[in-house]
Amino acid sequence: MTEPQWLEAWPVEEGARRVDELFTSSFDGSPEGVWSAPGRVNLIGEHTDYNAGLCLPTALPHRTFIALRPREDDRVRLVSAQAEGVWEANLSDIAPGASGWGAYVAGVAWALAEAGHKVGGFDAAVDSCVPFGAGLSSSAALEAAVAVALDAVAGLGLAASDAGRTELVDATRRAENEIAGAPTGGLDQSASLRCREGYALLLDFRPGLSALESGVPVPFDLDTAGLTLLVVDTKAEHSHVDGEYGARRAACEQAAKLLGLDSLREIAPALGGMGIDRALAELEPHDAEGVLRRRVRHVVSEIDRTARFANLVREGRAADVGPFMLASHVSLRDDYEVSCRELDLVVDTAMATGALGARMTGGGFGGSAIALVNRADVDTVAQAVADAFADAGLTAPAFLLAPPSAPAA
Ligand code: GLA
């Protein structure tokens, strides 16, 4: 028996106290305020965001905290409980390719300025209980915390409405894509800034939608249903700046181009598209190995599963979504090829121990898996997963509980 390691979320007051103390011990005086933003889990809808598709995330109770004070000049000075020393730069020097963790922070200020907002320099202290590199969007949590902090100190007022928050999403996503250089699709930033406590958020990434259409909150009442969402951080290495994520994205763009479409979303017959069978037939002559067709089959089927999953949740039938989670995992494993041994082991073990559904969550290649379990079975499932990892000689995973939590504030 290997004791499962649980990773508790800090109460908001504790996170605030930590960054306040870190700020005052690193810089003279006090911060102007403290803000925070959550990591996320994606219930379903994986690798669909950059295909103009659907995703269904919830916010984690685990948050990244920032204490911040504006400066008179354009200098940015940052300290983090998770990093040595002070990260410093002038905002005017921030440009694509900036390096270090500060690029995620200064990048948000850069993107807000690019969007025409007046944002100056600042001192800030950061601390987080969102596990790093675990596929739970620690970088988006940092970006979103910076976005709401700068929104407040610069008096932009964007965080006050969902429509304004979509502008903050754009800024945080540009910071990640253009400054930090990770070609991600916007799911993580949208989740951190737009999810609501007690709800999942049905995101639709078709271009040109209003805020009302692009993010629809769906009540996700796990408690009443007697269910718990268990997250397992496999501790298997995971990174987006490496080539695999970009390669998947490029394959999707190539397939869309061969089909004469702007995005793979447009294959859907419901949007007047050609349907999956014709799309696969048209790709065949260009696709000797079948790779493009597998990628397309995943994306198109995943968008469909996400819509169906959201409908069940809307009807109060969260206990019935399990088969969609499993089908999503199988598709990500076999067609999209982004799973790994550790993720498969969580899913197989959870399903064998009574989970209603389980799947990898996030980009894959390591990171985390989720399992939907009856509340009474949480400890049994966690124990079985911890034992399976020990038996396989793998690093011990960490376990988190994920009630749908509040957005950046
Ligand atoms: C990562 C990216 C997101 C999304 C997911 C896969 O989390 O940051 O934009 O593409 O992978 O669904």
Side-chain angles (χ1 to χ4, degrees):
M1 291 267 282
T2 317
E3 187 78 6
Q5 298 168 19
W6 290 92
L7 197 63
E8 309 280 344
W10 298 338
V12 170
E13 309 72 49
E14 182 187 339
R17 181 183 52 72
R18 283 175 181 250
V19 285
D20 189 79
E21 283 175 14
L22 182 61
F23 187 101
T24 47
S25 65
S26 308
F27 308 112
D28 286 338
S30 307
E32 184 160 315
V34 170
W35 294 265
S36 66
R40 62 101 189 90
V41 285
N42 195 18
L43 299 173
I44 194 160
E46 221 65 86
H47 290 278
T48 49
D49 56 355
Y50 54 82
N51 288 299
L54 302 173
C55 306
L56 190 70
T58 61
L60 284 174
H62 301 71
R63 300 175 76 86
T64 293
F65 294 82
I66 186 165
L68 184 143
R69 185 179 60 201
R71 295 170 58 95
E72 298 295 322
D73 55 14
D74 93 327
R75 192 101 185 124
V76 175
R77 294 193 301 167
L78 307 171
V79 291
S80 161
Q82 278 80 34
E84 294 281 316
V86 182
W87 189 97
E88 284 195 68
N90 291 325
L91 270 186
S92 48
D93 295 335
I94 295 299
S99 63
W101 71 274
Y104 289 89
V105 176
V108 176
W110 168 87
L112 285 170
E114 287 280 300
H117 300 294
K118 210 171 148 23
V119 177
F122 52 90
D123 294 333
V126 174
D127 201 350
S128 182
C129 63
V130 182
F132 286 103
L136 300 174
S137 295
S138 57
S139 59
L142 175 59
E143 293 152 1
V146 174
V148 291
L150 293 179
D151 178 69
V153 299
L156 308 181
L158 295 171
S161 69
D162 190 49
R165 281 174 179 252
T166 63
E167 287 188 46
L168 297 178
V169 169
D170 288 343
T172 50
R173 171 181 161 155
R174 284 195 69 183
E176 177 144 336
N177 291 165
E178 295 177 44
I179 300 298
T184 53
L187 155 67
D188 311 342
Q189 295 78 10
S190 302
S192 189
L193 281 154
R194 299 181 69 192
C195 277
R196 297 190 196 167
E197 187 169 359
Y199 291 80
L201 182 67
L202 181 60
L203 290 166
D204 188 332
F205 284 90
R206 264 178 301 162
L209 298 185
S210 68
L212 228 53
E213 296 163 321
S214 69
V216 179
V218 182
F220 191 48
D221 187 355
L222 290 172
D223 267 355
T224 307
L227 299 174
T228 298
L229 192 64
L230 177 67
V231 182
V232 184
D233 169 7
T234 65
K235 304 275 177 80
E237 189 109 3
H238 142 108
S239 158
H240 285 152
V241 195
D242 69 11
E244 289 292 340
Y245 182 95
R248 296 300 179 287
R249 191 172 174 153
C252 292
E253 283 161 8
Q254 188 194 346
K257 199 162 167 228
L258 285 168
L259 296 168
L261 305 173
D262 286 335
S263 74
L264 296 182
R265 176 71 178 282
E266 294 167 24
I267 290 171
L271 297 178
M274 63 183 77
I276 184 69
D277 292 339
R278 208 180 113 202
L280 297 182
E282 281 193 19
L283 288 172
E284 192 177 349
H286 311 278
D287 185 31
E289 309 285 327
V291 175
L292 287 185
R293 280 168 289 165
R294 288 204 297 281
R295 304 297 186 251
V296 169
R297 199 161 56 199
H298 165 70
V299 171
V300 173
S301 64
E302 183 78 351
I303 293 172
D304 182 60
R305 278 187 292 274
T306 306
R308 288 166 192 263
F309 186 122
N311 280 339
L312 283 175
V313 172
R314 224 180 247 126
E315 290 166 13
R317 293 173 55 195
D320 296 335
V321 300
F324 290 110
M325 295 175 76
L326 198 57
S328 168
H329 184 77
V330 169
S331 176
L332 286 157
R333 185 191 66 199
D334 298 344
D335 277 347
Y336 220 63
E337 298 177 278
V338 293
S339 188
C340 64
R341 175 179 175 217
E342 291 86 348
L343 290 167
D344 294 343
L345 185 59
V346 176
V347 170
D348 294 345
T349 310
M351 293 310 293
T353 338
L356 304 178
R359 58 181 292 276
M360 53 159 279
T361 189
F365 311 109
S368 294
I370 52 175
L372 188 67
V373 293
N374 287 309
R375 197 183 304 133
D377 296 337
V378 173
D379 288 325
T380 315
V381 173
Q383 186 64 61
V385 171
D387 289 342
F389 271 57
D391 290 347
L394 296 167
T395 305
F399 297 87
L400 294 73
L401 295 178
S405 298

